[in-house]
Amino acid sequence: MQLIRLRIENDAMEVAYYPVDDQAATAHFLIAYNPKQGIGENLENIKVRLAGLKFEAAILENGLDYSFSDTIVGVNYDRIDVGLALTNMLNIPVVSQTAVDRDGLIKAVKTKTAYLKWHLDYYGQYQGVRNNGQEAMLTVGNGYFGLRGAYLESHADDNNYPGTYVAGIFDQETTKIKDHDVVNEDLVNLPNGQFMTFGVDHQKPFTITPHNVQDVYRSLDLKTGILTVTMLIQLASGHILQVKSQKLANMHDWHRYAIRYQITPLNFSGTVQVYSELDGSVVNGNVSRYNVFDQQHLQTLGLESQTNEMYLSGQTKTSHIDYTFGANLTSPDVDTTKAVKLTTEPQKTKQVVSLPVQANQTYTFDKNVVITTSNVKGAKATPVTASAELKQASFDDTVKSSLTYWHQCWHDADIKVKGDITSQRLLRVNVFQSFVSAAAIESGQLDASVGARGLHGEAYRGHVFWDEMFILPFYTLHRPALAKQLLLYRYRRLPAARQNAKEAGYAGAMYPWQSAQTGDEQAQFVHLNPITDTWDPDNSRLQRHVSLDIAYNVWAYYHATHDTDFLAQYGMELLLSIAAFWISKAEYNPDTDRYDISGVMGPDEFHENYPNSKKPGLKNNAYTNLMVAWLFNTIAHLRSKISNADYQKAASAAEFNSDLTNQMNTISHKLTLEINRSGIIAQFEGYFDLPTLDFRAYRQKYGDIARMDRILKAEGKTPDAYQVAKQADALMAFYNFDVPTVQKLIEKLGYQLPKEYLTHNIQYYLERTTHGSTLSRIVYAVLNQLDDNYDQAWTLFSEALFSDYYDIQGGTTAEGIHLGVMCATLLLATRNFGGVSVLGDHLQIAPKLPDQWTMIKFKHTFRQTHYTFVIDHTKVTVTADKAQPLSIAGKDYQLKADKPLTVVYHH
Ligand code: BGC
């Protein structure tokens, strides 16, 4: 094995390079520290010194003896987990000399590699948004609730935010700001049930502060769903303790979560107190810029405490959703029924239990928490229901449910890659968090969909956006029943969408840009501009393409499942209602003998209207018009898939008559696009007339120009006036479909495209895009991959894959994960890198594996057939549980049931 050996000392880092592990080193460096840099930055110098050398692992010779990690070193009164840092930097496992001595090199490397692929770990205490971002990443949950990975011992403050959210629980508050009533609907931060802490000898209970934790290691085990936090604490009184907690969501009885809290006094015997709380005094405070608004959504109505149980009941203030939280405390080490009730604060119930302790013995406490809420179908949220639930709850049972669920989930939805530890780990983090955000919705008992930021934080107030389009395809291929329930969230809001259309003067259904409880528009109409102190219009709601994205999801679900009942009962009515809206929005233009669509925005949020125009919105946004044309063609195609009676039923519910059918057929090939001589598709009509921006100059001046809109506005300019985009827009259709489909759509509209048009379009728009949304890179990664520009595709994919882990937008992960990009990376891995396309009537496989991966393995469910794919750089092996035709690298094959088919290919 090619490897490096490391010693990290106080004055220098010693690195030796072994091209063959049992022979002498061929290179040896002593790297002195740069005193101006932290240890992390100094480690970068190892990378630089080793540039060009090939090695598969590192051995750390002087790791400290810690139970949670064997790759921590102490340097100049500081400590760092060199293993975590170097794995991130070099993408190799780092093993300790101790592990090598114990297990041998091969086994030590194998064990560490396997560990790294299944864990998301952080060592050390972080502050502010950095810690808040880690809390979001360490969220546990089950799609009913999400529980941020905050320290149990913390309350909300500048560094910690223990948020709890239940899918579908929103509340509206109105705040008067400068004589203006601003209404906001928030995903509610519910009572904090995870709080636990300890005290020693009846002194003050411990609370987390930036400097009172000596050591802390947080590890989310993706295989089991358990978040483990191990802390070494030295109190001001000199007492030293190890405090270890495990926290997890129940994946079967999804009203429950469980915590195991273990305290080991290390240098004393005496007494320890364990405190447990249900805290109803919390507000929505995760997003500091929202703090000017009324963020108080809870009213606590009842507190009860008996023996070792306690209950907190309340109601959301304006949506009137009842909730009751219940918690108990048990311990093998003390009779917790003698727990003392503490009632010092009006909106909290607290209990404390005290016990004598001996040094170096571990004392265990289990806290089971139940959340009952009245937004669950047929459910009541009272202390009686919560108590019945709590009586059934145990830590061990919750662990069992979690192991069973995740075992099945990894069986169905894992994406296994070889050759790249970092990709593997982050792909699994994304799979994990996608189910944390939605799993329970599959039960059909919740009226909710996936918010743009999961159940992980409060940005965008928990609202549901077009991001669903980036999220649902992953569920559709792995858990179609879940995708169906998410679509039903939209179906149930058809009446609201019709109302929205009516109020705006249109027919059919107009889905809101931001959707929450009822399906009315939750995007703001105005924003207070802090620079000018005026109310500026917010036109983002003009992203009417959201309805088309919903239609796309309906089609994609039907296409991948052939769930004809769904199409007949819900899907067709949705599609027709959306189509009716677009028919009423399209206007005939006699000058061009075409139809125009005006007053809309594309996905690029930098363009809300034309400069020098008072009218909001833009004309003939290419993405919108292409998707309208696609929808109209698709309805004609899907009509034959259901019975005439079912179609008529759907048509009558959607008020869609034969006259509309005729209009739809006409408009479908007469929508307007603007395409220039080089074949560049204008983002919207008039786009080419806008001046370009000197990106180089702006980069030089501002460094990060992702949010060019803010930069320009601060300079008194507007992004509307420039060819500058926040994210992919004109080319979005190429993300949704394959190239021939989009090309056909364009041709059917009567436009010709020159050769190489795709390459030119990608280049053109990439040069003008700042990636101010995490959804941008992933789309351009796909586009580049389609255009055989693999290096660029890989770079953009990697950035997208890392985006929440490294919080590349500088603090936004603190306010919730970006579920859209997370799920889109999963699709890209299987669809574009694995090359498995489900867009046709049978599977087409054309792998384009990145050089960094040696193999990818995953499963898909397509039209009730379960497929397994194993793909490397030369061959594809497919197994399915039913006989199916498919094509691999352009050739047709007939797959037999349960018989693996291996095909050698070249690309
Ligand atoms: C993006 C939108 C996205 C929203 C929610 C915005 O920054 O521009 O495309 O829907 O975030 O994720």
Side-chain angles (χ1 to χ4, degrees), residues 452-453 460 463 465-467 470 513 543 545 603-605 707 726-727 772-775 809 818-820:
R453 313 303 281 273
Y460 283 120
H463 296 167
F465 288 71
W466 77 311
D467 302 40
F470 294 83
W513 173 238
Q543 292 184 66
H545 64 84
D604 167 24
E605 299 195 325
R707 292 310 300 265
K726 181 181 182 187
Q727 64 206 95
S773 158
T774 57
L775 294 175
Q809 293 185 335
H818 298 76
L819 191 59

Side-chain angles (χ1 to χ4, degrees), residues 635-696:
I635 288 176
H637 169 72
L638 291 182
R639 186 178 172 154
S640 63
K641 307 288 176 194
I642 55 176
S643 71
N644 198 36
D646 282 335
Y647 178 82
Q648 292 310 338
K649 224 163 56 198
S652 115
E655 295 180 11
F656 205 91
N657 55 24
S658 56
D659 182 36
L660 285 184
T661 307
N662 292 337
Q663 286 188 50
M664 182 167 79
N665 293 340
T666 311
I667 299 170
S668 74
H669 61 270
K670 285 196 160 196
L671 282 158
T672 313
L673 296 178
E674 189 175 321
I675 300 178
N676 75 7
R677 268 198 312 170
S678 318
I680 307 297
I681 304 162
Q683 187 170 310
F684 48 81
E685 197 170 307
Y687 183 80
F688 297 127
D689 301 333
L690 301 179
T692 52
L693 202 69
D694 186 348
F695 273 55
R696 239 196 10 206

Side-chain angles (χ1 to χ4, degrees), residues 17 20 23 63 197 241 297 300 304 349 437 452 469 472 680 688 764:
Y17 175 61
V20 184
Q23 291 178 17
T197 194
L241 311 90
H297 297 293
T300 304
E304 280 179 38
T349 75
S437 305
M469 195 180 71
L472 257 70
I680 307 297
F688 297 127
Y764 182 91

Side-chain angles (χ1 to χ4, degrees), residues 356-422:
V357 294
Q358 298 293 321
N360 294 313
Q361 285 209 24
T362 299
Y363 299 88
T364 300
F365 302 85
D366 287 352
K367 180 177 187 178
N368 287 287
V369 181
V370 304
I371 306 175
T372 57
T373 54
S374 62
N375 69 323
V376 178
K377 215 186 234 170
K380 280 210 175 84
T382 65
V384 176
T385 50
S387 161
E389 187 76 33
L390 195 56
K391 295 270 181 299
Q392 311 285 320
S394 78
F395 182 82
D396 292 339
D397 182 62
T398 293
V399 170
K400 214 163 104 194
S401 78
S402 193
L403 293 182
T404 309
Y405 179 86
W406 288 112
H407 180 77
Q408 187 63 42
C409 180
W410 291 119
H411 178 268
D412 299 339
D414 191 17
I415 297 171
K416 196 169 174 177
V417 298
K418 273 201 182 148
D420 179 351
I421 299 174
T422 304

Side-chain angles (χ1 to χ4, degrees), residues 689-834:
D689 301 333
L690 301 179
T692 52
L693 202 69
D694 186 348
F695 273 55
R696 239 196 10 206
Y698 273 92
R699 274 205 188 94
Q700 251 167 21
K701 190 160 170 200
Y702 294 96
D704 180 3
I705 57 164
R707 292 310 300 265
M708 186 59 110
D709 52 335
R710 295 185 185 146
I711 293 173
L712 288 170
K713 282 177 188 164
E715 287 185 348
K717 303 181 180 117
T718 165
D720 287 317
Y722 294 100
Q723 292 185 8
V724 56
K726 181 181 182 187
Q727 64 206 95
D729 188 318
L731 305 181
M732 265 306 302
F734 292 95
Y735 172 87
N736 298 355
F737 308 108
D738 55 17
V739 178
T741 304
V742 187
Q743 207 167 307
K744 252 190 250 150
L745 265 178
I746 296 174
E747 282 162 8
K748 199 175 161 200
L749 290 174
Y751 297 100
Q752 292 307 314
L753 292 163
K755 270 212 296 215
E756 313 290 333
Y757 76 93
L758 188 60
T759 311
H760 295 153
N761 272 282
I762 296 171
Q763 266 169 11
Y764 182 91
Y765 281 108
L766 253 182
E767 279 168 13
R768 288 160 174 77
T769 302
T770 68
H771 305 303
S773 158
T774 57
L775 294 175
S776 188
R777 278 184 195 81
I778 197 72
V779 176
Y780 279 109
V782 169
L783 292 169
N784 275 294
Q785 182 79 3
L786 291 176
D787 195 36
D788 298 338
N789 188 355
Y790 304 124
D791 292 336
Q792 180 78 273
W794 174 257
T795 305
L796 290 162
F797 166 78
S798 305
E799 284 169 8
L801 186 65
F802 296 155
S803 50
D804 272 323
Y805 183 60
Y806 287 122
D807 192 3
I808 62 168
Q809 293 185 335
T812 60
T813 304
E815 302 163 352
I817 55 160
H818 298 76
L819 191 59
V821 66
M822 276 193 169
C823 287
T825 59
L826 304 174
L827 192 66
L828 196 149
T830 60
R831 183 185 68 179
N832 301 85
F833 291 161

